[in-house]
Amino acid sequence: MSSTPENPRVVVIGAGIVGCSLADELTARGWTDITVLEQGPLPAPGGSTSHAPGLVFQTNPSKTLTALARYTVEKFTSLDVDGVSCFHQVGGLELATTPERLAELHRRAGYAASWGVRGEIVSAARCKELWPLIDESLVLGGFHTPGDGLARALLASRAQMARASARGARFLDRHTVTGIEREDGRVTGVVTDRGTFPADHVVSAAGFWGPVIGRMAGIDVPLQPLAHQYARTGPLPELSGATAEASKPILRFQDRDLYFREHTDRIGIGSYAHRPLPVDPFAVLPYDEARARNMDMPSSYPFTQEDWAPSWADCRELMPGLGDAEVEAGFNGVFSFTPDGMPVLGESRRLRGFWLAEAVWVTHSAGVAKAVAEWMVDGRPSIDLHACDLTRFEEAQRSPSYVLERGAQQFVEVYDVIHPLQPMERPRPLRVSPFHARQQQLGAYFLEGGGWERPHWYEANAPLVDALGPLPARDAWSGRHWSRVAAAEAKATREGVALYDMTPLRRLEVTGPGSLDFLDRMTSNNLRKKPGAVTYSLLLDASGGIRSDLTVARLAPDRFQVGANSPADLDWLLRHAPADVHIRDITSGTCCVGVWGPLARDLVQPLTPDDFSHEAFGYFRAKETYIGHVPVTAMRLSYVGELGWELYTTADLGLRLWDTLWEAGRELGVIAAGRSAFNSLRLEKGYRAWGVDMTDEHDPFEAGVGFAVRMDRDDFVGKAALAGKGEATRRLTPLLLDDPAAVVLGKEPVYVDGLPAGYVTSASYGYTLGRCVAYAWLPAGLPTGTGVHIEYIGEKVPATVADEPLFDPKMTRIRR
C-alpha cells in the first residue's frame, strides 16, 4: 500500500496494551497502513502488560489522568474475547486507618465529583461488608467507587489487535528494533533484525524500553523503570468455592503502600512499601534469554523475599485470615516512572514524525491511545495533555541522574498523602536565581517548581504580622506550606512596596526580519505597535483552544521579548518559525525583579535617568534603561494589581540589581515578598494562571480573556475556529466564600442547587478582601449573587458568585 496524506505509513513499536490500543484507535479513524512491531511473542510479549495485575482506580488529583482512565474503563467494558469481557467492573475500595488518610479519602471523593466519577465515602462497617476478610477495628472509613475494577490487559490487547487487523493493520512479533532511519529532520523508517519498515510516523510505545528506542532516534525519554513487588497467596479457606475471577472490589491499603485483588480462591498483593529497585532499560534481557534464565518474561524479575517480609506482616494485620496462608508465587515486575509521575506523550520537534506514548500504565492505556490518535490524525487531542507533553521538562530535569532520583521518589510516594504544594526533597537546590543568597538571609521559605527554588514567604517579615490584627485559623491541610507572614507581605504590597523574584518565569527572545509577521500570525492580539509597546496575547491552537498566554514586548522593530509559560511554548514557536525568525530561551541567562506597590515609583525613579512618570512611562510599556549601574529592560506590568515594574537584567548583574533596589528602598520600608502573597493578590485582580485556570480545552471568551483576541485583524492561528463558535455554555467564574474563616485550595467540586456543576481551579485567601477567592468552571449564565457550595474535605462550604475584578475594578491603582 502506498503512503498518502490521508493514510500515511505508521509503525508502532511495542504491542503491549498501549500499542494495541493505538493501532485500534488509528484504524478507527481511517489510518489503516499500520505496522505494529514487537520483539517478543504475541499475544503476551513480555513487557509490563504481560504481568500487569490490572487494577483500575479512575480517581486522580489530575483531571487529565482521570479522563484517560474513564475512557479506558468505557472502552474495555465494551470489548470482549470469546464472550469474556475485557473489564471486570467489581468496583474499588480505598481504606483509611488514620485520620490523615480519611481526610485524604474525602479529598479523593471531591476529585471524583469534580471529574465525573461515581464514588462515596463509606463507613468501616460498609468496608467490612465489601471485603469481609479485613479487620474492621483497624478501619476508620473507606472510599468506594463502583465503576472501578480489573482491566484484563492481555484480553484487551487481543480484542484490539483483532479489530485493528480487520481494518488493515498488521502485528509482527519477534521483530527486534535496531535503529530508526531519518532524513532532513524527519523519521523515514524503522530498522529491525528482520528487515526495514518505511514510515511517515513512528510511535514508541515500548514501555520501559522507551529510553532504548529514544536513543536510537536521538531523543531522550525521561523515564525510569523500577521493579515492584507482586505476590499471590495459596488457596484461602475464606474464598473456597469461588468460581469468578473476582467478586470483591479491588482494594487499596495505602497507609501501608499495599493493594489487593482476588484471583478466584487466592489473593494477589502488590507492594510499594519496599526500597526503590531501579532497572536499567538497556540491560533488560531479550525474551528468549530471559526465559533461558528461568524468568517468566523480561519484565518479571526474581522476587526479593527480604523486601517482602514487612509488607506480609502488614497484610496479616489487615486480614487476620492470612495468618496461616503462604505466598505461593511472587515476582518483581518492571514498569515505568517519570520525574513527575505523568506519561510522556507527543511528537518530537527534533525528529518530525517520531512520537512518544510512554510511561503509560494499563489504567490510562486506552485513553492515552485515543488522545495520541487524535493528535496524529486531527492535529490535536480532544483533552488537555499539557501535563503529559514530552516537552514539559526543563533541560535541568532531563539528566539521567535527575530522572533516576525523581523517578525513584515517585515510586516511594505513589500512595503517600501529597499536599498540592509539597515539593520533592531532592535534588535541591537545583536552579536558583541570582538573588538566592539574599533570600536565604531574609529567611525565605522555598518551594520548588520547574527545578527553581521559589520563595513563598520570608521569615524576616514575621514582625509585620503583629500589625495585621486577627487572621482566621487554618486547618492542618490548608495551613501546610502556608504562613501568616504571607498576609503581612500582601498588605505591605498593597500599602508600600515589595520586591518579588520573577526570575523563574520563562523569557524568549524573538528576532529577525520576519519576527513581527510571525508573532502576529501566531498570537491572538494586535502586535503591530511601535517599539516600546507590551501586549498581552494568547497562543491558540487551530481549534481556538488556549495553548498559553504571553506578554510580548516589542523592544526594537525586529526584536521582541516574550514572557511565556513552559518549554512547550518555545517548542510550539520553533515548530512554526520561518527561516528569517530566530528564537532563543534567555531565561537562564537573565533574571527579573517585580517592584510593586503604591511606593514603587518612589523607589525606582531616583535610581534611573529616565522619566518613570505615568505620562512618560505608561502601563504596558517597556524601556531599556538603567537602575543605578545596572542596565535593565523595564516593563510596566503588574500581576498583583498595584503600580510597578518588572525589571530584567542579565544574571551576572542580578545581585547588584537586587542590592541597589534594597538599599534605596530601606527608607520606604521595602520588603521582599513571596509567591504565597503573589497568588493571593493576583486572584483578587482576577488574573488567570495558564495550565491551572485555563488550558487548550478552553477558548478565550469562556475563560474571560477575550479582550486579548482581536477578531478584526488579519488571520491568526485559531481565528477561524473562534469565529465559528456559538454561545459559551461554561464560564470561568469568580466565587467569594461566605465564611471569612473558610479556605479552599483548588480542584474541589462546586455544587449548584445541590448537584455537582463544576470545579475550582485556583483559590487563595484574599487578604485585602477578607474572604477566600476561588475561580471555578461553572455553567454560563449564573448571575452575580448566586449561592453555591464548594466541597472541602467532606464539608459543603457556602460561596457566592461575584463580579470581577474583585479588587480595584477601575484599575486606578495600576494606572497612576
Side-chain angles (χ1 to χ4, degrees):
M1 182 183 296
S2 61
S3 171
T4 67
E6 295 76 25
N7 193 28
R9 298 166 299 186
V10 180
V11 174
V12 179
I13 301 172
I17 189 62
V18 178
C20 292
S21 297
L22 181 58
D24 183 49
E25 295 287 341
L26 286 172
T27 55
R29 287 165 174 77
W31 283 18
T32 56
D33 190 355
I34 311 293
T35 300
V36 183
L37 301 175
E38 175 53 59
Q39 63 178 346
L42 292 173
S48 299
T49 300
S50 301
H51 71 244
L55 284 73
V56 176
F57 288 89
Q58 298 171 83
T59 305
N60 193 284
S62 164
K63 179 175 180 287
T64 296
L65 288 186
T66 302
L68 296 173
R70 287 181 62 193
Y71 180 78
T72 299
V73 169
E74 176 187 325
K75 184 175 186 181
F76 288 179
T77 302
S78 71
L79 299 175
D80 70 87
V81 175
D82 299 329
V84 178
S85 174
C86 294
F87 191 79
H88 191 19
Q89 204 159 45
V90 292
L93 178 64
E94 303 177 46
L95 302 178
T97 60
T98 66
E100 294 77 16
R101 181 66 62 179
L102 185 59
E104 173 70 0
L105 294 189
H106 277 287
R107 285 187 289 271
R108 290 182 62 77
Y111 300 143
S114 291
W115 315 144
V117 175
R118 188 159 61 100
E120 63 174 343
I121 299 295
V122 296
S123 67
R126 177 59 176 153
C127 293
K128 178 73 171 179
E129 290 177 11
L130 293 167
W131 255 90
L133 277 70
I134 67 173
D135 180 355
E136 179 185 354
S137 69
L138 298 177
V139 178
L140 301 181
F143 175 44
H144 182 220
T145 45
D148 291 341
L150 294 166
R152 298 182 171 112
L154 287 177
L155 276 187
S157 296
R158 286 176 56 193
Q160 292 176 105
M161 284 173 60
R163 298 198 331 175
S165 297
R167 302 185 190 112
R170 58 178 176 167
F171 292 77
L172 304 177
D173 62 1
R174 300 293 189 173
H175 282 65
T176 299
V177 174
T178 58
I180 305 293
E181 292 188 333
R182 66 197 93 169
E183 185 176 333
D184 297 329
R186 281 206 64 88
V187 70
T188 59
V190 177
V191 183
T192 76
D193 58 351
R194 298 175 64 179
T196 298
F197 296 83
D200 302 301
H201 296 273
V202 173
V203 185
S204 178
F208 56 77
W209 283 289
V212 178
I213 302 301
R215 180 175 293 182
M216 296 178 192
I219 305 299
D220 66 305
V221 180
L223 174 163
Q224 176 60 52
L226 288 110
H228 158 63
Q229 290 203 301
Y230 191 78
R232 189 182 299 198
T233 70
L236 299 175
E238 294 87 346
L239 301 179
S240 63
T243 56
E245 176 189 7
S247 60
K248 301 174 184 59
I250 53 176
L251 181 69
R252 276 174 166 168
F253 181 22
Q254 290 146 302
D255 289 324
R256 293 295 184 272
D257 296 312
L258 294 165
Y259 64 81
F260 304 83
R261 59 153 294 181
E262 295 168 283
H263 292 280
T264 311
D265 62 348
R266 295 161 168 80
I267 292 179
I269 307 164
S271 171
Y272 293 99
H274 56 83
R275 62 194 167 96
L277 300 168
V279 172
D280 180 358
F282 295 90
V284 176
L285 298 176
Y287 186 90
D288 292 327
E289 189 174 341
R291 296 285 288 178
R293 296 193 186 187
N294 295 318
M295 294 168 62
D296 287 341
M297 60 189 80
S299 62
S300 179
Y301 278 49
F303 193 64
T304 49
Q305 187 64 45
E306 67 274 16
D307 291 308
W308 175 251
S311 290
W312 187 229
D314 289 333
C315 293
R316 288 170 158 172
E317 182 183 8
L318 179 69
M319 300 183 186
L322 297 178
D324 297 325
E326 298 292 337
V327 171
E328 184 177 72
F331 65 95
N332 290 0
V334 182
F335 64 139
S336 302
F337 285 81
T338 59
D340 60 3
M342 300 293 283
V344 181
L345 311 177
E347 182 191 20
S348 168
R349 175 178 52 82
R350 294 175 180 171
L351 183 59
R352 300 294 181 92
F354 184 80
W355 296 75
L356 296 179
E358 298 292 12
V360 181
W361 294 6
V362 170
T363 299
H364 312 111
S365 54
V368 163
K370 177 189 177 189
V372 172
E374 292 170 336
W375 209 341
M376 296 175 72
V377 176
D378 304 326
R380 72 183 298 270
S382 58
I383 67 169
D384 166 44
L385 290 182
H386 84 271
C388 307
D389 195 301
L390 62 87
T391 65
R392 70 186 182 272
F393 295 110
E394 305 280 351
E395 278 303 311
Q397 298 173 301
R398 290 182 170 272
S399 70
S401 58
Y402 185 96
V403 173
L404 170 60
E405 195 162 8
R406 287 289 172 102
Q409 190 64 25
Q410 287 292 337
F411 178 92
V412 169
E413 295 182 350
V414 71
Y415 278 172
D416 286 2
V417 176
I418 303 295
H419 191 274
L421 292 176
Q422 181 174 321
M424 285 283 187
E425 294 180 1
R426 300 172 59 192
R428 291 180 62 194
L430 184 62
R431 307 176 77 186
V432 298
S433 80
F435 324 130
H436 187 251
R438 298 294 183 264
Q439 293 165 344
Q440 289 179 305
Q441 292 167 5
L442 292 170
Y445 183 87
F446 291 101
L447 297 178
E448 185 256 5
W452 288 100
E453 295 296 318
R454 302 181 182 217
H456 273 242
W457 67 84
Y458 296 84
E459 285 300 324
N461 296 323
L464 302 178
V465 172
D466 295 338
L468 290 176
L471 278 174
R474 291 224 176 181
D475 65 275
W477 187 249
S478 66
R480 194 176 300 182
H481 302 296
W482 174 83
S483 169
R484 292 162 57 90
V485 174
E489 293 177 0
K491 184 173 187 290
T493 306
R494 290 277 188 243
E495 297 178 357
V497 60
L499 306 184
Y500 287 80
D501 181 3
M502 306 303 290
T503 300
L505 299 185
R506 181 165 304 278
R507 292 172 290 286
L508 309 177
E509 183 181 71
V510 182
T511 58
S515 54
L516 175 58
D517 289 341
F518 168 67
L519 288 172
D520 203 48
R521 182 177 73 254
M522 294 300 297
T523 67
S524 63
N525 213 334
N526 175 31
L527 303 185
R528 296 188 179 279
K529 302 171 183 176
K530 294 179 180 179
V534 183
T535 306
Y536 177 78
S537 194
L538 307 173
L539 281 182
L540 306 178
D541 61 24
S543 298
I546 305 170
R547 285 190 57 93
S548 188
D549 63 343
L550 313 173
T551 52
V552 183
R554 192 177 189 187
L555 303 179
D558 295 336
R559 180 165 63 92
F560 295 81
Q561 182 172 307
V562 178
N565 284 295
S566 77
D569 296 344
L570 173 62
D571 185 85
W572 177 257
L573 292 172
L574 287 172
R575 284 175 187 268
H576 295 87
D580 63 348
V581 173
H582 309 287
I583 307 171
R584 66 187 186 103
D585 190 329
I586 61 172
T587 309
S588 297
T590 56
C591 59
C592 178
V593 182
V595 184
W596 290 313
L599 300 181
R601 185 176 287 116
D602 299 80
L603 171 55
V604 175
Q605 183 62 83
L607 302 174
T608 179
D610 281 284
D611 186 351
F612 270 46
S613 69
H614 181 65
E615 294 74 20
F617 197 159
Y619 192 52
F620 267 84
R621 299 292 298 172
K623 282 185 180 181
E624 293 182 294
T625 182
Y626 291 87
I627 297 295
H629 298 289
V630 181
V632 300
T633 299
M635 298 187 197
R636 190 168 167 199
L637 307 174
S638 174
Y639 286 94
V640 299
E642 295 294 336
L643 171 70
W645 288 265
E646 292 179 357
L647 302 176
Y648 299 88
T649 191
T650 52
D652 60 320
L653 290 167
L655 192 58
R656 183 61 178 263
L657 174 62
W658 180 279
D659 287 346
T660 300
L661 293 166
W662 188 259
E663 289 302 319
R666 282 181 180 275
E667 62 184 36
L668 299 172
V670 69
I671 68 160
R675 297 289 298 183
S676 187
F678 176 90
N679 199 46
S680 170
L681 297 169
R682 71 104 181 160
L683 278 171
E684 290 183 330
K685 280 298 292 181
Y687 292 143
R688 278 61 167 151
W690 183 85
V692 180
D693 299 313
M694 56 189 186
T695 69
D696 60 6
E697 288 186 357
H698 310 111
D699 73 53
F701 302 108
E702 61 190 8
V705 288
F707 62 87
V709 179
R710 289 288 299 272
M711 295 295 289
D712 59 346
R713 67 179 186 83
D714 292 342
D715 194 26
F716 57 86
V717 174
K719 179 181 178 180
L722 292 181
K725 284 188 178 290
E727 190 69 25
T729 59
R730 60 184 177 179
R731 297 281 184 190
L732 187 59
T733 305
L735 304 173
L736 276 177
L737 274 62
D738 295 352
D739 182 354
V743 173
V744 298
L745 300 182
K747 300 187 178 181
E748 297 90 354
V750 181
Y751 291 78
V752 178
D753 296 329
L755 297 174
Y759 60 91
V760 174
T761 58
S762 294
S764 180
Y765 199 85
Y767 302 109
T768 317
L769 303 172
R771 293 283 192 283
C772 184
V773 180
Y775 272 76
W777 281 102
L778 291 172
L782 292 178
T784 300
T786 299
V788 302
H789 286 86
I790 303 172
E791 184 177 334
Y792 178 73
I793 315 183
E795 299 292 328
K796 297 291 198 309
V797 179
T800 302
V801 173
D803 281 328
E804 62 173 342
L806 300 166
F807 176 78
D808 189 26
K810 296 183 179 180
M811 303 284 282
T812 55
R813 298 175 70 90
I814 292 177
R815 302 177 186 273
R816 59 181 175 184

